[in-house]
Structures are given as structure tokens and as C-alpha cells.
Amino acid sequence: MGKPLIYEILEKPASSSVIGICSLIWFFIQKRNIGYGDVGLSYEAAMEGGQYWRIITSAFSHISVVHLVFNMSALWSLGVVEQLGQIGLGVEYYLHYTLVLVVLSGLLVLGFYHMMIQKFKVEYFRRVTAVGYSCVVFGWMTILATKQPSSKLNLFGVLSLPISFAPFESLIFTSIMVPQASFIGHLSGIIVGYSIAWGLVHGMNNYWAITMFGWIVLVFVLSLKRTGSMDLRFIEIEPVTDPSLPSVGVVASRNGRTLQMDVLPRRGVADIV
């Protein structure tokens, strides 16, 4: 017989807190009828519109309940990282590098989009919008596969995968079973995960974690203030100062999930990550 849930939560305080935060955000999104275009990460909005806050909001937002359940189930299983202090992991390590995974995987996604747009002239990646915590989930899968290859990844309590193959098994599985799943987003999480596990990204401690968190908050607030304002329903983007120039904004349709552009009225494409 397994441990009572309350004991497992106490053994995985950080991952349990993230699951709670993502679940509350999902509930808020559903309650307020918020869509991909309001919280998701796209090259056009972030790099051309200066909406850098989307790197954070996209990571913790889920529109589909199935997407939320899949990510949170995997994250719950990966919470074992918090119990592995004896091999240099543990709760502090988990918190420090979750912060790194959120930021670096988001930046890497934008880097891939930039390469596809500028070098290969694939305009699709300019407007594709990504949401979800999968970048971080895939990153932790990769770290655990490197540090503790004998571990298992349990999904939904019924499916158990060897952690050593889980990142690439999950990458292939989700790409086949969920066409909207972001291959680039998942791959970015794996790349950052290996960078951490192999020591290419290292040296995080409480000082650097707090400093990094402070800079994240500062950039988040300043970019939000410069590009728009957030109310209780959705993120509203203010128009550019010159009315003669085309503007890009998020507006609420009847279902609150339409990304509208003055010059190019085509809808953005959503990617699940």
C-alpha cells in the first residue's frame, strides 16, 4: 500500500506547489475564457512586440485539461528529484534549476523560431503560439535520466517508462499522438536539461537564484508596463504611438480566444508544449 497523499506532498513540496499553481492558473483561464493568444509565447509578440513577460506566462498556462493532466502527472513523478539530496539534487537544486529551465527553454524556443524565420524563411513560426509546462517537464526528465538512470517515470499511475529513454520516447510519442504538440518546445527542454546535467549550466545557489528571480520579476513588470496592461480577463496591448502604422493586438472575441491583427487578419497557430 502506498503512502498517504499528504506525506507524498510533504516529500515533494516544490513540485506539489508548481502543480497547485498551474492548476489554479488553468482554473482562472477557464473561468475567464482566456485563450492561447492572451498568455502564449510567439516570436511576433515577444521579439517584435517586446512582450517578454510571455516567456513566464506561457510556461505556467494550460488551455486544455488533458494537456494540464499529462504535464502535471509527469511532473509529480519527477518530484523524486527533491528526495535525492544524497546525489546532489534535492529541493534547493529543484527550485534553482526549475527557474533556469523556465527561462532558458523559453529563450531557446525563440532562438529556434528566429532561425526558422530568418534563415529558412518559414513564416509559420512567426505567429505560432506556445503554451504549457512541457519544456520544464522534458528538462527534468533529461536531468533525472542522466543523474539517476535507474529511475522510472510513472504517468497517470498506470504507465511506467524507464527514465533513461523517457525524454526521447515522450518526444516521439507526443509528436505522433498530439499533432499540435510543440516539437521545438520539447526539444528545447531536453537541450537545456542536458546542459544542466552535464555541467554546462551550473553554479546556481540561493544568491544567484534570488538574483535571477529578481531580474525576471523586473523584466516581467517593465515589459508588461511598456507593452500593455493586465486586467482580470486578458492581457490588453496598447496601440503604437503612430496611428498610421499597422498595429498588433490581442482582442476579445465572443469566446475570448481570437488573436487579431490589423494588417494580416489570419489567426495565430497554437502549439502545445
Side-chain angles (χ1 to χ4, degrees), residues 97-190:
Y97 287 99
T98 289
L99 199 62
V100 172
L101 281 165
V102 169
V103 175
L104 291 191
S105 60
L107 292 175
L108 190 55
V109 166
L110 291 174
F112 275 123
Y113 287 171
H114 180 82
M115 180 180 68
M116 296 303 295
I117 294 166
Q118 301 298 330
K119 185 173 181 61
F120 298 102
K121 309 301 180 184
V122 184
E123 288 297 312
Y124 164 84
F125 290 100
R126 189 178 298 276
R127 294 180 180 82
V128 66
T129 302
V131 294
Y133 202 70
S134 299
C135 288
V136 181
V137 169
F138 273 75
W140 278 120
M141 279 187 202
T142 305
I143 294 169
L144 192 58
T146 306
K147 301 282 190 179
Q148 189 81 351
S150 60
S151 298
K152 298 281 188 179
L153 177 68
N154 296 305
L155 296 176
F156 312 111
V158 295
L159 180 62
S160 181
L161 300 174
I163 194 66
S164 55
F165 300 109
F168 293 102
E169 284 177 347
S170 300
L171 180 65
I172 295 170
F173 175 78
T174 53
S175 297
I176 294 172
M177 299 303 295
V178 186
Q180 277 188 306
S182 174
F183 182 87
I184 288 178
H186 297 168
L187 182 61
S188 296
I190 291 173

Side-chain angles (χ1 to χ4, degrees), residues 51 224-229 236-241 247-250:
Q51 298 170 29
L224 186 62
K225 181 179 180 180
R226 186 171 69 86
T227 61
S229 58
E236 180 180 316
I237 308 302
E238 296 179 1
V240 293
T241 55
S247 62
V248 178
V250 177

Side-chain angles (χ1 to χ4, degrees), residues 3-248:
K3 296 179 182 178
L5 180 61
I6 185 63
Y7 288 112
E8 292 202 49
I9 291 173
L10 292 175
E11 289 177 348
K12 306 174 182 179
S15 49
S16 298
S17 297
V18 172
I19 290 170
I21 291 169
C22 288
S23 299
L24 287 174
I25 291 173
W26 172 83
F27 179 78
F28 179 81
I29 284 172
Q30 299 304 311
K31 197 75 173 175
R32 296 293 180 174
N33 208 24
I34 294 171
Y36 292 100
D38 302 321
V39 294
L41 178 66
S42 70
Y43 183 87
E44 186 170 56
M47 301 305 294
E48 297 175 356
Q51 298 170 29
Y52 306 120
W53 47 265
R54 289 179 179 270
I55 293 174
I56 306 303
T57 59
S58 64
F60 293 93
S61 300
H62 298 79
I63 307 299
S64 162
V65 66
V66 175
H67 186 204
L68 174 71
V69 170
F70 181 85
N71 278 352
M72 297 304 103
S73 175
L75 186 63
W76 176 256
S77 182
L78 292 165
V80 69
V81 170
E82 298 180 61
Q83 303 167 2
L84 296 175
Q86 70 275 13
I87 63 169
L89 303 181
V91 177
E92 281 192 7
Y93 183 95
Y94 186 91
L95 289 170
H96 294 167
Y97 287 99
T98 289
L99 199 62
V100 172
L101 281 165
V102 169
V103 175
L104 291 191
S105 60
L107 292 175
L108 190 55
V109 166
L110 291 174
F112 275 123
Y113 287 171
H114 180 82
M115 180 180 68
M116 296 303 295
I117 294 166
Q118 301 298 330
K119 185 173 181 61
F120 298 102
K121 309 301 180 184
V122 184
E123 288 297 312
Y124 164 84
F125 290 100
R126 189 178 298 276
R127 294 180 180 82
V128 66
T129 302
V131 294
Y133 202 70
S134 299
C135 288
V136 181
V137 169
F138 273 75
W140 278 120
M141 279 187 202
T142 305
I143 294 169
L144 192 58
T146 306
K147 301 282 190 179
Q148 189 81 351
S150 60
S151 298
K152 298 281 188 179
L153 177 68
N154 296 305
L155 296 176
F156 312 111
V158 295
L159 180 62
S160 181
L161 300 174
I163 194 66
S164 55
F165 300 109
F168 293 102
E169 284 177 347
S170 300
L171 180 65
I172 295 170
F173 175 78
T174 53
S175 297
I176 294 172
M177 299 303 295
V178 186
Q180 277 188 306
S182 174
F183 182 87
I184 288 178
H186 297 168
L187 182 61
S188 296
I190 291 173
I191 292 172
V192 177
Y194 275 124
S195 299
I196 293 170
W198 291 341
L200 301 177
V201 176
H202 65 282
M204 285 294 288
N205 53 35
N206 288 336
Y207 171 79
W208 288 115
I210 293 171
T211 301
M212 185 177 180
F213 181 76
W215 277 106
I216 290 170
V217 171
L218 181 63
V219 172
F220 183 94
V221 171
L222 291 179
S223 66
L224 186 62
K225 181 179 180 180
R226 186 171 69 86
T227 61
S229 58
M230 181 181 291
D231 62 23
L232 294 179
R233 289 194 68 238
F234 57 88
I235 297 174
E236 180 180 316
I237 308 302
E238 296 179 1
V240 293
T241 55
D242 188 349
S244 65
L245 295 175
S247 62
V248 178

